[in-house]
Amino acid sequence: TAAATLMQRGRTFTVAEVAREVGLSRSAVYEYYSSAAELIADVLVDELTQWSQELAAATTADQTPMEQVHAWIHGVLDYVVDGRHALLRAAGTIDLPPARRAELQILHQALIAPLLDALRAAGRTDADRASRYVWGIVEVAISRIEAESADPATEADALIAFVDGALSASAPGSM
């Protein structure tokens, strides 16, 4: 938690700073982590796991596939609006060990899984491609929200309208 808090402040930190935050000696923290990068990787694993679970919970079986897509979009944007995405953005500049980076890539893919499942349930034969397109558009909305150049609610509505139009226009058999 201390490491996550320091990361959300938007700057790098040392193991000594984390130790100070939690009232431990630096050597005590090093008993658990060989480096700040390993500690950061654990923070990111926890964060991505929690976010993935939240997105999966937001897209329930009692929703239509398009309602699931909408719920997934809202779940992603809500995460950004509540400030937790700053943690992941801050970590993007940190040089993580290759094995940990690979682990995080897998967890990042898990974020898209509920969207992919919804698109498959909608009968999309190109669900993988469509999910990646939707993710790209969502990333644009994230950038706009984080830059404070867009109202989050308005951006969510515009994003959903755009995605709905794109998905219906490119639906299998619509061309």
Side-chain angles (χ1 to χ4, degrees), residues 1-2 22 34 46 67 81 89 94 98 104 116 127 131 143 157 162:
T1 302
V22 296
S34 61
D46 289 348
E67 288 171 340
V81 170
R89 190 178 62 251
I94 297 167
L104 293 169
L116 184 58
S131 69
S143 295
D157 292 344
F162 187 87

Side-chain angles (χ1 to χ4, degrees), residues 3 15 18 26-43 46 100:
V15 171
V18 173
R26 189 174 57 136
S27 60
V29 175
Y30 276 116
E31 287 181 36
Y32 298 97
Y33 297 100
S34 61
S35 66
E38 284 291 335
L39 175 56
I40 291 166
D42 272 0
V43 169
D46 289 348
R100 299 308 302 270

Side-chain angles (χ1 to χ4, degrees), residues 50-133:
Q50 181 179 347
W51 190 18
S52 178
Q53 291 168 348
E54 290 171 8
L55 290 173
T59 56
T60 61
D62 64 332
Q63 298 167 318
T64 68
M66 286 312 294
E67 288 171 340
Q68 290 175 344
V69 170
H70 297 174
W72 183 86
I73 290 170
H74 279 290
V76 170
L77 296 183
D78 289 348
Y79 182 85
V80 171
V81 170
D82 75 15
R84 291 172 33 211
H85 189 255
L87 175 73
L88 299 176
R89 190 178 62 251
T93 61
I94 297 167
D95 188 26
L96 298 173
R100 299 308 302 270
R101 189 162 294 283
E103 180 182 7
L104 293 169
Q105 284 287 14
I106 291 167
L107 288 169
H108 194 268
Q109 290 301 316
L111 295 174
I112 299 173
L115 172 63
L116 184 58
D117 292 343
L119 293 170
R120 285 182 179 140
R124 302 250 357 162
T125 56
D126 65 342
D128 184 61
R129 179 182 339 155
S131 69
R132 292 175 189 278
Y133 288 168

